[in-house]
Amino acid sequence: MIKNLVFQCFDAFFLLAVSPLVIGIIRKTKARFLLKKGPSLLQPYYDLMKLFRKEVTLPDSASWLFKATPYVVFTFSWLAASLVPTFSTNLLFSRTADLIAIIALLGTARFFLSLAALDTGTSFGGLGSSRESLIASLAEPAMIMIIFTIALVAKSTDLSAISTFMISGQAGLRVSLWLALASLVLVAIAENGRIPVDNPATHLELTMIHEAMILEYSGKYLALLEAASQLKIVLYLSLIAAVFFPFGMATMVGGISSFFIGLFTYIAKIGLGALMLGFFEILVAKMRLFKIPNFLGAAFMLALLATVLLFVSRSL
């Protein structure tokens, strides 16, 4: 019990510490493939420290909701990321690591952020909030179908149970799982506001989505929202690794050495995920807003096809 508590605390603070580095790897990868030197891998850490030291300025029309939202979004994002098994399937929060609970936590954080964007009454806040709500309404049906497919295969929505089932090799090579993986990647790109759905590096009125909602924030409030955004990327990378590539994870029967093997394997997985995301972003361009429903429609169809194939294969 005490050992699990220690590893769970380590896991939570490890995710918090490593999430800016993942952003640094993505930016560095993009710069290198474009034949540029690029910022340091540690630049996201410097940016967060600079924001925490800056003075906070608030709009005159901001209410308590505007001030409370960064803390709510950061806490819920951190909690959701901590629920996902990373280097072990036997962490303390593993018993509550339910896929539906994680999606609910992220949805609540997004709900508060949308309300805070509307709270100040600015046009950019309303614009970003409506666009974010559109993406969420299209991404969540695809995510539900992905959860449905995985739950049918592993007979559970508990992430630790899913990881243990996948490690055992009982799932085999299923086309349904590969389709669910492709759908989850598309949903992860949309939910994190990455290219081609959104470009976090620009503040263009015609294209920005997530940045429009946090445009009025500054200082420590903006730092908390940036940290929450970084944790969300790590969450999705961890989710993909835990469900589809769980090899190397420590299990209940393993000793201390297996935990360290699991930790180094997990670092390699999210590092590779960040490299692939950075490489993918230089290959595609930002799509126009009215094409985003097609993008997420493809994600939903892949997830639906995965579920249908699963039922068909079982009936044969």
Side-chain angles (χ1 to χ4, degrees):
M1 178 70 178
I2 295 176
K3 185 179 76 173
N4 290 346
L5 177 62
V6 170
F7 279 121
Q8 182 64 69
C9 292
F10 172 78
D11 176 70
F13 285 100
F14 175 75
L15 290 176
L16 191 61
V18 81
S19 55
L21 182 61
V22 170
I23 300 298
I25 293 173
I26 294 172
R27 292 177 182 172
K28 194 72 172 179
T29 304
K30 291 170 67 176
R32 286 297 186 187
F33 277 107
L34 293 172
L35 303 181
K36 298 177 181 177
K37 184 179 179 181
S40 164
L41 289 175
L42 302 179
Q43 188 60 45
Y45 293 97
Y46 301 144
D47 293 341
L48 287 179
M49 287 189 288
K50 182 177 69 176
L51 287 173
F52 273 115
R53 287 197 298 266
K54 278 195 170 183
E55 182 183 358
V56 174
T57 57
L58 294 171
D60 295 335
S61 56
S63 70
W64 64 269
L65 179 66
F66 188 82
K67 300 175 188 175
T69 293
Y71 296 100
V72 173
V73 173
F74 175 75
T75 304
F76 279 41
S77 301
W78 192 15
L79 180 59
S82 301
L83 290 178
V84 180
T86 53
F87 58 89
S88 172
T89 60
N90 193 30
L91 297 176
L92 190 63
F93 287 174
S94 295
R95 297 169 188 170
T96 57
D98 192 281
L99 268 170
I100 297 173
I102 291 169
I103 300 306
L105 285 170
L106 292 178
T108 306
R110 179 169 43 232
F111 174 69
F112 270 88
L113 190 57
S114 298
L115 286 182
L118 294 170
D119 184 59
T120 55
T122 62
S123 57
F124 280 112
L127 179 146
S129 179
S130 63
R131 290 176 178 176
E132 181 78 7
S133 300
L134 170 67
I135 291 175
S137 65
L138 296 170
E140 285 183 0
M143 196 66 200
I144 289 170
M145 294 306 298
I146 294 167
I147 293 172
F148 194 41
T149 304
I150 296 169
L152 282 172
V153 173
K155 297 181 176 58
S156 174
T157 56
D158 183 332
L159 275 172
S160 290
I162 292 170
S163 297
T164 305
F165 178 80
M166 296 295 183
I167 292 172
S168 69
Q170 298 178 54
L173 292 173
R174 293 175 183 264
V175 178
S176 299
L177 288 178
W178 287 107
L179 291 173
L181 171 61
S183 178
L184 181 57
V185 169
L186 297 183
V187 170
I189 289 171
E191 289 279 19
N192 286 286
R194 306 302 305 187
I195 296 173
V197 176
D198 192 10
N199 187 356
T202 66
H203 290 78
L204 297 176
E205 179 184 353
L206 292 176
T207 61
M208 64 179 174
I209 300 174
H210 179 75
E211 295 300 315
M213 292 196 297
I214 62 174
L215 210 56
E216 299 293 329
Y217 280 105
S218 61
K220 63 181 180 182
Y221 295 139
L222 182 58
L224 287 170
L225 292 175
E226 291 291 341
S229 177
Q230 293 165 358
L231 280 167
K232 196 173 176 183
I233 292 180
V234 174
L235 183 155
Y236 274 95
L237 290 176
S238 302
L239 186 61
I240 292 171
V243 175
F244 298 100
F245 307 101
F247 57 86
M249 292 179 72
T251 58
M252 293 182 67
V253 296
I256 296 295
S257 60
S258 68
F259 280 87
F260 285 105
I261 293 172
L263 178 62
F264 287 118
T265 308
Y266 171 70
I267 293 171
K269 288 177 190 173
I270 61 168
L272 180 61
L275 282 170
M276 292 176 68
L277 180 58
F279 179 68
F280 173 75
E281 288 192 352
I282 65 166
L283 297 178
V284 296
K286 168 77 176 66
M287 67 173 62
R288 300 173 74 176
L289 277 173
F290 67 84
K291 289 189 175 180
I292 293 176
N294 297 340
F295 182 84
L296 288 171
F300 177 75
M301 289 307 298
L302 285 170
L304 180 63
L305 188 59
T307 308
V308 171
L309 277 177
L310 195 60
F311 278 114
V312 170
S313 63
R314 286 187 174 184
S315 63
L316 291 176

